[in-house]
Amino acid sequence: MDTILVTNAGSSSVKFEVFGVNQAGGLSGQLEGKIEGVGTKPHLTAKSAEGKVLVERTYTNETVPDVPAALRTAASWLRDELHIHPIAVGHRVVHGGSEFDQPVLVTEDVLRRLERYIPLAPLHQPHNLEPIRSIMVNRPGLPQVACFDTAFHRKHPAVADYYAIPESFHAEGIRRYGFHGLSYEYIAARLPEVAPDIAKKRIVVAHLGSGTSMCALKNGQSIESTMGFTALDGLPMGTRAGQIDPGVVLYLIEQKGMSPHEAQRLLYHDCGLKGLSGVSNDMRELEASSDPRAAFAIDYFVYRIALFAGTLAAALGGLDAFVFTAGIGENSAFIRTRVVAKLSWLGLKLDEAANAGGKQLISAPDGAVGVYVIPTDEELMIAQHTLALVKGS
């Protein structure tokens, strides 16, 4: 059976998933794994689609010193022990800028162009590109596909895409991009199966995880997003501040004497739930904590979700459905309860038993707006795009 390998690389980890391609061209997950702790204590784990543990192995820092080495280690394990030889590799790449509005087969030229967006996504872009560069060197004939978190939002109307700055800056690429597009694209594709009556109507999707954003869907297309030029904007996240007055950044640099690099590090690594609570960036720990700062961080998180939901409903001209997805959205019944309560004015009403039971439809029968929990699958989306490009090339 042909297989597609999907990778998602971070600063100290590489996640991967293998999909099998059946004779009809359909995809099915075969296994998923990760090497984490790169730079400290590299550790490879993987399990089959049925949940069986396939490997649990620790390496030395000398053996796996960086992310490219982690990818080579995972690839060697797949090849030598499981005899998996993928026909192509699909990669999550956070930023495609204004020029990449759909997935693309990677060439040296494409890679060079994607490197220009590193300053716009410093937490993600350089790490996303490292495996691509490594495979180019070690497996130059293996097709690679870059799939972008920004691409799904590229059809926004101009009024949603612009900042109120001179046109020359917009032409250079300073505009609102939006992120988590692969997740929203997957949800848009699932809605006709889950809720065909509202799939093409006015929907707000809340991607609530370590990275957090919301998106307004209409006719299955993104028309507005809470994130903008970078993945710092919008909702508060695990360690990122979310929406903040640009004057705060100027103040940090001019009055507090921070360098741009120090300000960047603060806003990406020490803010959000972590900064507000002083306890943790993990919602599970915040929910379990008795510290009043943890409770305040949760209050703030819920308040901002409700605030942006109103903004997106205004962009849509009303609301027909609300979808929770990603780690917090899929797993925290508590956060869902709090958010729905805040949005009762929009017609949301919770079925508490369905919510507690982890059901897909969690709105009460007499609620005016359908409320759903739909697990996202960005990896499957990447695999589908990769297979389509490889078969079509």
Side-chain angles (χ1 to χ4, degrees):
M1 177 185 287
D2 287 342
T3 55
I4 299 287
L5 173 64
V6 171
T7 76
N8 184 355
S11 60
S12 61
S13 66
V14 175
K15 298 178 183 178
F16 59 91
E17 191 162 349
V18 174
F19 291 85
V21 184
N22 62 36
Q23 290 184 341
L27 290 161
S28 59
Q30 303 294 300
L31 65 90
E32 60 180 22
K34 59 185 175 181
I35 293 188
E36 54 189 346
V38 177
T40 54
K41 190 177 182 181
H43 188 66
L44 167 65
T45 58
K47 61 182 180 180
S48 68
E50 296 74 32
K52 178 184 176 182
V53 176
L54 300 175
V55 66
E56 185 105 25
R57 194 172 296 167
T58 300
Y59 299 86
T60 65
N61 286 334
E62 291 74 25
T63 306
V64 185
D66 52 28
V67 167
L71 181 67
R72 290 194 298 272
T73 299
S76 295
W77 173 72
L78 290 169
R79 181 181 62 249
D80 299 339
E81 299 187 35
L82 299 188
H83 309 294
I84 290 174
H85 302 274
I87 60 171
V89 182
H91 302 270
R92 178 194 181 209
V93 177
V94 165
H95 218 304
S98 56
E99 60 180 316
F100 294 105
D101 60 358
Q102 57 188 351
V104 62
L105 279 164
V106 180
T107 63
E108 290 281 1
D109 178 62
V110 166
L111 184 58
R112 281 192 297 271
R113 286 150 66 192
L114 291 175
E115 287 171 342
R116 299 204 304 259
Y117 301 115
I118 288 175
L120 307 190
L123 203 64
H124 302 92
Q125 194 84 349
H127 311 300
N128 298 159
L129 300 182
E130 278 189 346
I132 298 176
R133 191 177 296 107
S134 178
I135 291 172
M136 274 188 168
V137 172
N138 295 289
R139 293 286 307 279
L142 183 62
Q144 299 189 79
V145 174
C147 300
F148 307 103
D149 265 340
T150 50
F152 187 62
H153 304 294
R154 293 293 4 103
K155 294 181 181 178
H156 280 180
V159 71
D161 204 22
Y162 268 70
Y163 288 110
I165 56 176
E167 172 65 32
S168 59
F169 291 111
H170 180 84
E172 290 175 14
I174 302 176
R175 60 183 70 185
R176 299 185 71 250
Y177 290 102
F179 296 88
H180 294 133
L182 290 162
S183 177
Y184 295 127
E185 185 181 10
Y186 177 81
I187 297 299
R190 283 280 290 131
L191 278 167
E193 304 169 32
V194 173
D197 292 343
I198 57 92
K200 299 298 183 182
K201 293 184 179 180
R202 302 164 300 180
I203 301 165
V204 167
V205 184
H207 178 106
L208 308 180
S210 178
T212 303
S213 71
M214 294 165 70
C215 175
L217 296 178
K218 193 172 187 179
N219 296 320
Q221 300 292 319
S222 170
I223 67 162
E224 182 59 276
S225 170
T226 58
M227 281 183 168
F229 181 57
T230 71
L232 272 177
D233 200 9
L235 295 168
M237 298 166 239
T239 63
R240 282 172 268 171
Q243 185 183 57
I244 192 168
D245 185 337
V248 174
V249 183
L250 297 176
Y251 179 86
L252 293 174
I253 293 171
E254 293 177 355
Q255 301 301 319
K256 300 296 289 184
M258 284 189 177
S259 68
H261 177 75
E262 289 170 333
Q264 181 187 79
R265 178 161 187 83
L266 170 71
L267 295 172
Y268 272 102
H269 296 281
D270 296 318
C271 293
L273 297 175
K274 177 183 176 183
L276 282 170
S277 71
V279 174
S280 175
N281 65 315
D282 190 316
M283 182 58 73
R284 292 166 296 187
E285 294 182 18
L286 296 180
E287 289 184 21
S289 176
S290 60
D291 192 315
R293 296 176 301 169
F296 177 73
I298 293 173
D299 289 344
Y300 185 88
F301 185 68
V302 171
Y303 172 75
R304 301 302 290 188
I305 292 169
L307 199 67
F308 275 107
T311 299
L312 296 178
L316 288 165
L319 189 63
D320 298 301
F322 190 99
V323 176
F324 290 96
T325 195
I328 297 171
E330 294 169 22
N331 296 301
S332 178
F334 174 70
I335 292 296
R336 294 195 298 263
T337 298
R338 295 283 305 275
V339 170
V340 171
K342 277 279 189 184
L343 296 177
S344 60
W345 67 275
L346 268 174
L348 278 70
K349 187 175 181 180
L350 195 67
D351 181 327
E352 295 182 4
N355 182 47
K359 302 298 184 181
Q360 192 167 72
L361 176 64
I362 61 170
S363 49
D366 58 340
V369 171
V371 184
Y372 298 84
V373 181
I374 304 178
T376 192
D377 196 337
E378 294 156 297
E379 289 75 19
L380 177 58
M381 206 75 248
I382 294 169
Q384 289 175 348
H385 285 311
T386 300
L387 181 61
L389 276 175
V390 170
K391 294 296 186 183
S393 62

